[in-house]
């Protein structure tokens, strides 16, 4: 079955602390993995995708095929990082996205 | 950047009425659009894939007669909730695929539907 699991509904940290938002997936084949972010009162937007292997706003995510994980990390959280984060996957030949349940990140001053 | 406009942003109507939600790609052509439903504090659930000039493809468990999708042009897809009832109240979000760009899907702001 195709599934994306985000075990944490809420993650609260203080400013400057490291952050790791967990994402595990189940997919028969080679999926493409994404992280989407939704700031308060804003639309869902792409944060990063595993094929780009880039760092956006200080966030990185490495695809671990052995552990079927795509955890999102940032070494020093900022208050403006507070948002809802969704992990998602798609198959190679499809535009359809399967979303996880999301993790709300709260960064306290 | 690519913009997807969704209208209306919020609608309240009586039970039994039909409600139409529009999804437009403002600066690009979208041969494929997606419609999602999001319950409070839950994830986005894909309802259907809207393809320009052809019938929509619905996900398992989504009533095609309840949720009518029309994708008449490369920039517009509409979702009509027919004979809406309180259980149809939800947040509906559309997205559009711009094949000329690297981002897989561009999302609209969503429409909050409340059925009284």
């Amino acid at each position: 079955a195709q599934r994306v699991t985000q075990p944490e509904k809420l993650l609260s940290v203080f400013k400057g602390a490291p952050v790791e938002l967990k994402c595990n997936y189940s997919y028969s084949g080679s999926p493409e993995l994404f992280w989407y972010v939704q700031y308060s009162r804003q639309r869902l937007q792409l944060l990063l995708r595993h094929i780009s292997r880039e760092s956006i706003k200080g966030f990185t995510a490495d695809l671990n095929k052995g552990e079927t994980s795509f955890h999102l990390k940032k070494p020093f959280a900022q208050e403006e990082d507070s948002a809802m984060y969704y992990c998602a996957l798609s198959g190679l030949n499809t535009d359809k996205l399967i979303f996880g349940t999301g993790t709300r990140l709260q960064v306290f001053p | 950047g690519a913009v997807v406009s969704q209208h209306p942003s919020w609608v309240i109507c009586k039970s039994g009425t039909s409600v139409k939600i529009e999804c437009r790609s403002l600066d690009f052509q979208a041969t494929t659009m997606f419609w999602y439903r999001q319950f409070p504090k839950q994830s986005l659930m894909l309802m259907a894939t809207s393809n320009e000039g052809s019938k929509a493809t619905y996900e398992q468990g989504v009533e095609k007669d309840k949720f009518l999708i029309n994708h008449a042009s490369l920039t517009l897809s509409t979702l009509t909730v027919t004979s809406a009832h309180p259980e149809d109240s939800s947040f509906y979000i559309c997205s559009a695929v711009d094949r000329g760009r690297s981002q897989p899907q561009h999302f609209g702001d969503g429409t909050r539907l409340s059925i009284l």
Side-chain angles (χ1 to χ4, degrees):
Chain A
Q2 303 172 11
R3 187 183 298 122
V4 177
T5 304
Q6 292 180 250
E8 305 139 326
K9 285 189 176 181
L10 174 65
L11 185 62
S12 299
V13 300
F14 286 102
K15 175 183 173 182
V19 167
E20 182 179 52
L21 287 80
K22 290 183 168 40
C23 172
N24 288 89
Y25 65 91
S26 173
Y27 187 82
S28 55
S30 297
E32 186 170 1
L33 274 295
F34 307 88
W35 276 100
Y36 281 84
V37 61
Q38 189 171 29
Y39 300 102
S40 179
R41 300 184 187 278
Q42 294 188 28
R43 65 187 64 195
L44 205 63
Q45 55 186 287
L46 180 67
L47 181 62
L48 52 81
R49 58 199 300 180
H50 90 269
I51 61 172
S52 300
R53 301 184 67 80
E54 57 189 347
S55 173
I56 304 294
K57 298 183 179 182
F59 285 97
T60 59
D62 291 319
L63 180 61
N64 186 321
K65 293 184 178 180
E67 296 182 357
T68 59
S69 68
F70 189 56
H71 303 326
L72 183 68
K73 300 178 184 179
K74 184 168 183 176
F76 308 103
Q78 303 298 315
E79 289 180 66
E80 55 266 29
D81 296 327
S82 296
M84 195 73 183
Y85 291 80
Y86 293 95
C87 183
L89 71 78
S90 73
L92 280 181
N93 296 314
T94 175
D95 296 313
K96 287 172 63 173
L97 287 170
I98 299 170
F99 284 89
T101 49
T103 298
R104 180 168 298 282
L105 175 64
Q106 288 182 333
V107 182
F108 295 109
Chain B
V3 177
V4 174
S5 173
Q6 203 170 328
H7 177 79
S9 56
W10 195 3
V11 58
I12 303 173
C13 61
K14 293 180 179 180
S15 183
T17 59
S18 293
V19 179
K20 180 185 284 188
I21 302 170
E22 292 186 349
C23 180
R24 294 180 184 272
S25 56
L26 296 187
D27 53 355
F28 65 99
Q29 293 183 332
T31 54
T32 303
M33 292 184 173
F34 296 95
W35 287 96
Y36 297 86
R37 183 172 181 176
Q38 186 176 31
F39 292 100
K41 299 187 179 181
Q42 294 189 30
S43 188
L44 285 77
M45 182 194 76
L46 179 65
M47 298 174 65
T49 303
S50 173
N51 299 298
E52 186 270 335
S54 63
K55 291 184 178 180
T57 304
Y58 290 83
E59 296 298 303
Q60 192 173 9
V62 178
E63 298 177 61
K64 53 185 69 177
D65 294 331
K66 159 70 83 175
F67 300 100
L68 299 179
I69 292 172
N70 183 277
H71 195 152
S73 77
L74 287 172
T75 60
L76 173 65
S77 175
T78 61
L79 168 67
T80 301
V81 183
T82 62
S83 187
H85 291 285
E87 58 266 28
D88 299 322
S89 298
S90 192
F91 196 59
Y92 293 87
I93 303 172
C94 74
S95 70
V97 176
D98 179 7
R99 301 196 183 279
R101 298 174 190 264
S102 60
Q103 186 167 161
Q105 292 183 26
H106 302 277
F107 288 84
D109 282 329
T111 296
R112 184 162 302 284
L113 176 62
S114 297
I115 309 298
L116 304 178

